[in-house]
Amino acid sequence: MGIFDFFKKEKQESTVDFKVGDLKKGYMVDYFIKTWEVKKVYIYDWGNNSFAREYLLDSGDESLYLYIEDNDESICSIWKNIDLFEIKSDVVKTIIANDDAPNEILYDSKVFTKKESSQGHCLEEGQEDEYSELISWTYQNMDNKELISISRVGEEEFEASHGNYAQEFEFSNILPR
């Protein structure tokens, strides 16, 4: 090894164009005229070789979730947590009594119809020892633009989110921190 060999670095391929599926904790991404940081990554296993990833995005003054299903093609949706009691039906009582969510719910003066229900596991990336079993019900409004998700973790822990579909091209300038 000569003295000048010390200064030579091995060439490594570097990624320049990251895609939304490449996101990791700490990455930055532009969406809807804001720059967001990926704060957490969640991995969902819905069984039958069906997986999804969810990213907690934070812009400093707002947080939202980017959910990506990877079946044959990527399906992206953006979600914000809502108060379960903003849904105008007795969702919790119905779920506890019937072990199933109602077929229709009312939110923000709009009717949402149950599209699917899924049972699976969720874990935060980096904390593989701690996973949660959950059941999730997804609702869609009449024009197929808005979504509601209701999740049940354990017996009596419920969460609700309001969202809509997003396209991969809406996310740009994806960069590692």
Side-chain angles (χ1 to χ4, degrees):
M1 176 177 186
I3 190 161
F4 293 108
D5 291 334
F6 179 76
F7 295 105
K8 289 183 183 177
K9 291 186 179 179
E10 287 193 29
K11 293 182 181 179
Q12 295 178 358
E13 286 191 37
S14 61
T15 305
V16 177
D17 292 328
F18 290 96
K19 295 183 176 27
V20 79
D22 298 329
L23 286 172
K24 294 183 173 135
K25 186 175 180 178
Y27 276 40
M28 306 300 285
V29 59
D30 287 348
Y31 171 72
F32 207 69
I33 314 173
K34 284 187 179 182
T35 300
W36 304 81
E37 181 181 358
V38 178
K39 292 291 191 176
K40 294 183 180 183
V41 179
Y42 300 96
I43 301 166
Y44 291 86
D45 180 353
W46 297 113
N48 294 327
N49 213 19
S50 179
F51 297 94
R53 294 175 83 73
E54 185 176 58
Y55 304 92
L56 171 59
L57 305 178
D58 187 284
S59 69
D61 64 343
E62 186 178 8
S63 292
L64 53 84
Y65 293 89
L66 167 60
Y67 183 82
I68 302 175
E69 281 183 70
D70 259 332
N71 294 332
D72 294 333
E73 62 183 67
S74 292
I75 300 170
C76 302
S77 51
I78 292 291
W79 299 87
K80 288 186 180 184
N81 288 340
I82 59 172
D83 187 346
L84 192 62
F85 298 109
E86 291 179 34
I87 298 172
K88 305 291 187 241
S89 64
D90 246 346
V91 176
V92 174
K93 285 183 183 177
T94 303
I95 292 172
I96 290 173
N98 303 322
D99 271 339
D100 197 11
N103 290 327
E104 287 188 349
I105 57 174
L106 185 65
Y107 173 74
D108 198 26
S109 302
K110 296 175 196 158
V111 175
F112 289 79
T113 305
K114 186 165 50 171
K115 178 182 161 189
E116 66 184 13
S117 60
S118 304
Q119 186 171 0
H121 298 89
C122 174
L123 62 90
E124 184 178 339
E125 196 171 64
Q127 298 185 7
E128 281 73 16
D129 295 340
E130 300 176 28
Y131 69 91
S132 301
E133 292 183 18
L134 68 129
I135 301 173
S136 178
W137 295 274
T138 305
Y139 293 82
Q140 200 165 25
N141 71 341
M142 294 300 213
D143 62 6
N144 298 331
K145 292 185 179 177
E146 293 181 66
L147 303 163
I148 296 286
S149 174
I150 300 171
S151 297
R152 178 182 188 176
V153 180
E155 288 299 312
E156 295 187 22
E157 185 179 334
F158 294 90
E159 294 177 354
S161 302
H162 176 254
N164 53 31
Y165 291 110
Q167 300 295 319
E168 284 190 57
F169 69 82
E170 296 178 64
F171 301 90
S172 61
N173 297 326
I174 299 171
L175 299 169
R177 200 166 217 339

